[in-house]
Amino acid sequence: MACTKRTLAFLLMLAFVGVSLGAVHKVGDSTGWTSLGNIDYLKWASTKNFHVGDSLLFQYNPQFHNVMQVTHDDFQSCNGTSAIASYTSGSDSVTLKRPGHFYFLCGVPGHCQAGQKVDVLVKSSSKAPIASLSPSTLGSSPANPPSEMLGAPGPAQSSALSLISSKNSLAWSLVAVGGVFGFAFYF
């Protein structure tokens, strides 16, 4: 019985640690996802490194903005009407599940044309996470979910995106590990 509980605790610990391996990238950093100000999302993306298993966090006022995942052609023409996925909560997390380009824009008329769009290049990860967070796990799911969270194919690979909260992920991993081991030794 004690061995089973310890095995369960160990598996839970592995799951929690795996969840924390993917970095969370807040789009636009402290500015968030907006059409106001002088944020250049393409420049922002070019200074980052993204890997499979990472997540994009779009934070915005849902009364004025949204997030549309689109194809390369729709990205170029700022067309959000036939989106692959649409998000409208104001705090949306999108897990990057494969290498390649992912294209996002604000579907509110004029916002994409004003620069509220981002092309994310995801690189293969040498370490695949054991488990990853999905939008539903984080309380946010697309208003128009795709059959699979795949980015649209695009032109040759360009610049990449980077990590925002690896320290937070590590901290939560340590909390989870401590909690699981505490749970295992309690019984």
Side-chain angles (χ1 to χ4, degrees), residues 117-135:
K117 64 182 190 174
V118 64
D119 171 1
V120 174
L121 176 60
V122 179
K123 295 180 180 180
S124 295
S125 177
S126 58
K127 289 185 178 181
I130 295 167
S132 63
L133 294 175
S134 66

mmCIF file of all heavy atoms in Angstrom, residues 117-135:
data_model
loop_
_atom_site.group_PDB
_atom_site.id
_atom_site.type_symbol
_atom_site.label_atom_id
_atom_site.label_comp_id
_atom_site.label_asym_id
_atom_site.label_seq_id
_atom_site.Cartn_x
_atom_site.Cartn_y
_atom_site.Cartn_z
ATOM 1 N N LYS A 117 -0.482 42.332 -34.899
ATOM 2 C CA LYS A 117 -0.349 40.990 -35.449
ATOM 3 C C LYS A 117 1.051 40.492 -35.141
ATOM 4 O O LYS A 117 1.977 41.283 -34.977
ATOM 5 C CB LYS A 117 -0.622 40.973 -36.954
ATOM 6 C CG LYS A 117 0.350 41.774 -37.808
ATOM 7 C CD LYS A 117 -0.075 41.705 -39.269
ATOM 8 C CE LYS A 117 0.948 42.274 -40.207
ATOM 9 N NZ LYS A 117 0.571 42.053 -41.615
ATOM 10 N N VAL A 118 1.191 39.157 -35.038
ATOM 11 C CA VAL A 118 2.491 38.589 -34.697
ATOM 12 C C VAL A 118 2.675 37.262 -35.413
ATOM 13 O O VAL A 118 1.754 36.462 -35.513
ATOM 14 C CB VAL A 118 2.659 38.440 -33.164
ATOM 15 C CG1 VAL A 118 1.679 37.454 -32.566
ATOM 16 C CG2 VAL A 118 4.095 38.098 -32.798
ATOM 17 N N ASP A 119 3.879 37.073 -35.934
ATOM 18 C CA ASP A 119 4.314 35.841 -36.599
ATOM 19 C C ASP A 119 5.297 35.180 -35.644
ATOM 20 O O ASP A 119 6.361 35.707 -35.362
ATOM 21 C CB ASP A 119 4.985 36.192 -37.929
ATOM 22 C CG ASP A 119 5.679 35.012 -38.608
ATOM 23 O OD1 ASP A 119 5.638 33.882 -38.079
ATOM 24 O OD2 ASP A 119 6.288 35.230 -39.665
ATOM 25 N N VAL A 120 4.936 34.000 -35.121
ATOM 26 C CA VAL A 120 5.740 33.284 -34.147
ATOM 27 C C VAL A 120 6.395 32.091 -34.828
ATOM 28 O O VAL A 120 5.708 31.261 -35.418
ATOM 29 C CB VAL A 120 4.841 32.797 -32.983
ATOM 30 C CG1 VAL A 120 5.624 31.930 -32.022
ATOM 31 C CG2 VAL A 120 4.209 33.973 -32.276
ATOM 32 N N LEU A 121 7.707 32.006 -34.749
ATOM 33 C CA LEU A 121 8.433 30.864 -35.290
ATOM 34 C C LEU A 121 8.823 29.947 -34.140
ATOM 35 O O LEU A 121 9.556 30.335 -33.234
ATOM 36 C CB LEU A 121 9.678 31.300 -36.051
ATOM 37 C CG LEU A 121 10.556 30.156 -36.571
ATOM 38 C CD1 LEU A 121 9.780 29.258 -37.535
ATOM 39 C CD2 LEU A 121 11.803 30.708 -37.231
ATOM 40 N N VAL A 122 8.333 28.712 -34.176
ATOM 41 C CA VAL A 122 8.580 27.734 -33.120
ATOM 42 C C VAL A 122 9.634 26.744 -33.590
ATOM 43 O O VAL A 122 9.517 26.177 -34.677
ATOM 44 C CB VAL A 122 7.273 26.993 -32.766
ATOM 45 C CG1 VAL A 122 7.513 25.955 -31.680
ATOM 46 C CG2 VAL A 122 6.202 27.990 -32.343
ATOM 47 N N LYS A 123 10.646 26.560 -32.758
ATOM 48 C CA LYS A 123 11.710 25.606 -33.048
ATOM 49 C C LYS A 123 11.430 24.296 -32.321
ATOM 50 O O LYS A 123 10.764 24.281 -31.295
ATOM 51 C CB LYS A 123 13.060 26.164 -32.587
ATOM 52 C CG LYS A 123 13.482 27.403 -33.343
ATOM 53 C CD LYS A 123 14.826 27.898 -32.829
ATOM 54 C CE LYS A 123 15.252 29.138 -33.588
ATOM 55 N NZ LYS A 123 16.550 29.635 -33.110
ATOM 56 N N SER A 124 11.992 23.214 -32.855
ATOM 57 C CA SER A 124 11.863 21.916 -32.195
ATOM 58 C C SER A 124 12.511 21.988 -30.826
ATOM 59 O O SER A 124 13.506 22.671 -30.633
ATOM 60 C CB SER A 124 12.545 20.822 -33.007
ATOM 61 O OG SER A 124 11.889 20.648 -34.227
ATOM 62 N N SER A 125 11.952 21.260 -29.902
ATOM 63 C CA SER A 125 12.495 21.215 -28.553
ATOM 64 C C SER A 125 13.300 19.944 -28.396
ATOM 65 O O SER A 125 12.859 18.866 -28.774
ATOM 66 C CB SER A 125 11.357 21.249 -27.534
ATOM 67 O OG SER A 125 11.878 21.148 -26.240
ATOM 68 N N SER A 126 14.490 20.061 -27.811
ATOM 69 C CA SER A 126 15.305 18.870 -27.585
ATOM 70 C C SER A 126 14.740 18.044 -26.449
ATOM 71 O O SER A 126 14.925 16.847 -26.384
ATOM 72 C CB SER A 126 16.748 19.256 -27.286
ATOM 73 O OG SER A 126 16.801 20.093 -26.152
ATOM 74 N N LYS A 127 14.035 18.702 -25.532
ATOM 75 C CA LYS A 127 13.387 18.005 -24.428
ATOM 76 C C LYS A 127 11.895 18.235 -24.545
ATOM 77 O O LYS A 127 11.416 19.337 -24.345
ATOM 78 C CB LYS A 127 13.863 18.543 -23.079
ATOM 79 C CG LYS A 127 15.272 18.180 -22.735
ATOM 80 C CD LYS A 127 15.587 18.645 -21.334
ATOM 81 C CE LYS A 127 16.977 18.259 -20.914
ATOM 82 N NZ LYS A 127 17.289 18.680 -19.560
ATOM 83 N N ALA A 128 11.159 17.218 -24.861
ATOM 84 C CA ALA A 128 9.705 17.331 -24.925
ATOM 85 C C ALA A 128 9.158 17.257 -23.513
ATOM 86 O O ALA A 128 9.573 16.430 -22.715
ATOM 87 C CB ALA A 128 9.120 16.205 -25.770
ATOM 88 N N PRO A 129 8.198 18.121 -23.169
ATOM 89 C CA PRO A 129 7.629 18.075 -21.829
ATOM 90 C C PRO A 129 6.823 16.792 -21.626
ATOM 91 O O PRO A 129 6.258 16.250 -22.564
ATOM 92 C CB PRO A 129 6.722 19.308 -21.770
ATOM 93 C CG PRO A 129 6.507 19.718 -23.174
ATOM 94 C CD PRO A 129 7.657 19.188 -23.970
ATOM 95 N N ILE A 130 6.783 16.320 -20.393
ATOM 96 C CA ILE A 130 6.023 15.127 -20.053
ATOM 97 C C ILE A 130 4.542 15.405 -20.205
ATOM 98 O O ILE A 130 3.782 14.593 -20.671
ATOM 99 C CB ILE A 130 6.352 14.694 -18.607
ATOM 100 C CG1 ILE A 130 7.824 14.284 -18.535
ATOM 101 C CG2 ILE A 130 5.445 13.557 -18.152
ATOM 102 C CD1 ILE A 130 8.350 14.139 -17.137
ATOM 103 N N ALA A 131 4.131 16.577 -19.774
ATOM 104 C CA ALA A 131 2.734 17.001 -19.919
ATOM 105 C C ALA A 131 2.752 18.463 -20.260
ATOM 106 O O ALA A 131 3.686 19.174 -19.941
ATOM 107 C CB ALA A 131 1.982 16.772 -18.611
ATOM 108 N N SER A 132 1.718 18.941 -20.913
ATOM 109 C CA SER A 132 1.672 20.361 -21.229
ATOM 110 C C SER A 132 0.307 20.912 -20.921
ATOM 111 O O SER A 132 -0.688 20.194 -20.895
ATOM 112 C CB SER A 132 2.010 20.601 -22.701
ATOM 113 O OG SER A 132 1.041 19.994 -23.515
ATOM 114 N N LEU A 133 0.254 22.203 -20.663
ATOM 115 C CA LEU A 133 -1.006 22.865 -20.380
ATOM 116 C C LEU A 133 -1.725 23.130 -21.684
ATOM 117 O O LEU A 133 -1.131 23.510 -22.672
ATOM 118 C CB LEU A 133 -0.750 24.203 -19.671
ATOM 119 C CG LEU A 133 -0.149 24.102 -18.284
ATOM 120 C CD1 LEU A 133 0.155 25.500 -17.762
ATOM 121 C CD2 LEU A 133 -1.081 23.390 -17.344
ATOM 122 N N SER A 134 -3.027 22.974 -21.656
ATOM 123 C CA SER A 134 -3.826 23.315 -22.824
ATOM 124 C C SER A 134 -4.640 24.544 -22.468
ATOM 125 O O SER A 134 -4.770 24.884 -21.297
ATOM 126 C CB SER A 134 -4.757 22.159 -23.190
ATOM 127 O OG SER A 134 -5.717 21.980 -22.168
ATOM 128 N N PRO A 135 -5.233 25.231 -23.446
ATOM 129 C CA PRO A 135 -6.052 26.389 -23.124
ATOM 130 C C PRO A 135 -7.145 26.036 -22.126
ATOM 131 O O PRO A 135 -7.442 26.808 -21.238
ATOM 132 C CB PRO A 135 -6.630 26.813 -24.476
ATOM 133 C CG PRO A 135 -5.626 26.334 -25.464
ATOM 134 C CD PRO A 135 -5.084 25.052 -24.873
#
